[in-house]
Amino acid sequence: YVTILPQSGTYVRELSEEELEIIFRCRAGMEREILLAYGSRLDRDKLAEFQEQFQAIYQASGCTAEILERNFALDVSFHAFVVQNCPEIILREILNIMDLTKRSRILQIQRIIREQRTERYQQEIKIHLDIVDAILRGDLSQAGDGAGRPGRGPAPDAAAAAGSAVSAHNWIP
């Protein structure tokens, strides 16, 4: 996290456990509310493309660096797509919050690669598939529940990889 203080300097630091937890909770809650309010405006053809791409990654064998990097890029694109229809002032803020979570998500991917945690990786992809499926069926409540579920948040090992502890919330990109 970077803080710029005029006439003082620029300071870089890792986010604390508490900061990461609240950022993930805020992000999940905001994405849920955005889905409920604006999910019906999402382009169905684009949603079908996301569904196809998530399905291809879900069915890929193993969790290689290439597959996980492809999933990370897809995940970032999907979440940006989901929030695109909300008012500009809200969009700017949710994109800032999404940006704050990228570092811990990248660390999590690196950990999954090192430990070959295929089941965890598959679970995360499945949740995204369920959200896309619910939106396509017009069940925004179920899609929002998937996006805003209480268990979403940073993985304990994501911040541990960064040198700090994070609560035991499940991590879902």
Side-chain angles (χ1 to χ4, degrees), residues 111-150:
R111 183 93 176 220
I112 288 171
I113 293 168
R114 273 196 319 274
E115 297 177 4
Q116 288 295 299
R117 296 175 57 203
T118 307
E119 73 290 338
R120 182 69 179 126
Y121 156 75
Q122 293 284 41
Q123 178 187 18
E124 293 165 7
I125 303 299
K126 178 73 170 98
I127 290 167
H128 283 77
L129 280 168
D130 291 345
I131 292 169
V132 173
D133 182 59
I135 297 168
L136 285 170
R137 286 192 333 269
D139 190 345
L140 297 179
S141 180
Q142 182 182 356
D145 289 346
R149 75 180 49 169

Side-chain angles (χ1 to χ4, degrees), residues 5-131:
L5 300 175
Q7 299 181 351
S8 176
T10 301
Y11 304 90
V12 180
R13 67 175 178 82
E14 292 293 333
L15 294 170
S16 71
E17 173 183 337
E18 180 180 354
E19 290 166 330
L20 278 172
E21 183 169 337
I22 196 67
I23 287 168
F24 273 98
R25 285 178 182 240
C26 287
R27 177 180 168 181
M30 290 176 74
E31 286 184 17
R32 178 184 189 285
E33 295 303 317
I34 290 168
L35 270 173
L36 291 172
Y38 304 104
S40 63
R41 297 181 186 177
L42 294 173
D43 180 280
R44 298 185 67 73
D45 291 334
K46 186 69 175 166
L47 280 167
E49 287 177 32
F50 278 114
Q51 186 178 42
E52 186 177 302
Q53 292 175 44
F54 278 123
Q55 189 65 43
I57 292 172
Y58 184 73
Q59 293 174 343
S61 59
C63 60
T64 65
E66 179 184 338
I67 291 170
L68 288 171
E69 288 170 10
R70 200 171 93 206
N71 178 58
F72 180 75
L74 179 62
D75 177 76
V76 169
S77 296
F78 174 69
H79 286 276
F81 170 74
V82 166
V83 301
Q84 73 181 352
N85 290 307
C86 68
E88 182 68 28
I89 191 166
I90 297 168
L91 178 62
R92 282 194 310 263
E93 295 308 317
I94 188 70
L95 291 175
N96 284 337
I97 289 173
M98 290 168 68
D99 192 51
L100 286 173
T101 63
K102 281 183 185 175
R103 170 116 171 98
S104 65
R105 292 167 52 220
I106 290 168
L107 293 170
Q108 177 69 7
I109 288 171
Q110 292 170 347
R111 183 93 176 220
I112 288 171
I113 293 168
R114 273 196 319 274
E115 297 177 4
Q116 288 295 299
R117 296 175 57 203
T118 307
E119 73 290 338
R120 182 69 179 126
Y121 156 75
Q122 293 284 41
Q123 178 187 18
E124 293 165 7
I125 303 299
K126 178 73 170 98
I127 290 167
H128 283 77
L129 280 168
D130 291 345
I131 292 169

